[in-house]
Amino acid sequence: MPMSNTEIRDDRAAGRLEAVDGGEVLGHIQYFVLESPARALVPVHTIVEPAHEGKGIAGSLARELYAVAEREDIPVAPLCPYVVGWAARHPEVAPPADPKLLQAAQEWVSAHPDRF
């Protein structure tokens, strides 16, 4: 687990779920909100700063992403390989993604190459 001072904050405007400790961003998940064919959170990249790797930060970020989705009652359609793997290991909190939403998310990313 990350250090106890680590806070995870959702910067929805920037599309970033960030792990922050003392003002320093230790890692983040870059995501966007898919609107069609249905609303979904779509994580695209997970990045942990090299000095903070191996401390459970990426897993904490993935867990919080699914918690946000659950609170908002929307699914997650992960494109990020880390989140896909994390979800497969944690089916109790990460339900399988709808293939139609995954396809729509991939199409959205392809149509917006400058975004990520």
Side-chain angles (χ1 to χ4, degrees):
M1 294 301 290
M3 296 163 285
S4 59
N5 296 352
T6 302
E7 169 196 359
I8 297 181
R9 65 182 180 205
D10 185 5
D11 185 346
R12 184 65 53 101
R16 287 170 58 109
L17 192 64
E18 300 174 323
V20 182
D21 187 355
E24 178 186 4
V25 177
L26 309 180
H28 70 274
I29 290 179
Q30 188 77 36
Y31 74 93
F32 68 93
V33 179
L34 182 70
E35 297 293 344
S36 176
R39 195 166 165 83
L41 293 181
V42 182
V44 181
H45 299 293
T46 300
I47 297 169
V48 174
E49 296 304 319
H52 301 287
E53 290 177 352
K55 298 178 182 176
I57 293 168
S60 292
L61 286 165
R63 185 172 297 279
E64 180 60 20
L65 179 83
Y66 278 90
V68 167
E70 184 176 1
R71 286 193 298 271
E72 296 182 13
D73 196 30
I74 60 174
V76 175
L79 299 182
C80 168
Y82 177 82
V83 176
V84 169
W86 187 91
R89 291 188 307 276
H90 298 88
E92 71 284 0
V93 293
D98 180 331
K100 290 178 185 165
L101 290 179
L102 287 172
Q103 180 66 35
Q106 290 168 336
E107 290 170 3
W108 192 94
V109 169
S110 294
H112 300 85
D114 57 325
R115 179 77 191 271
F116 298 101

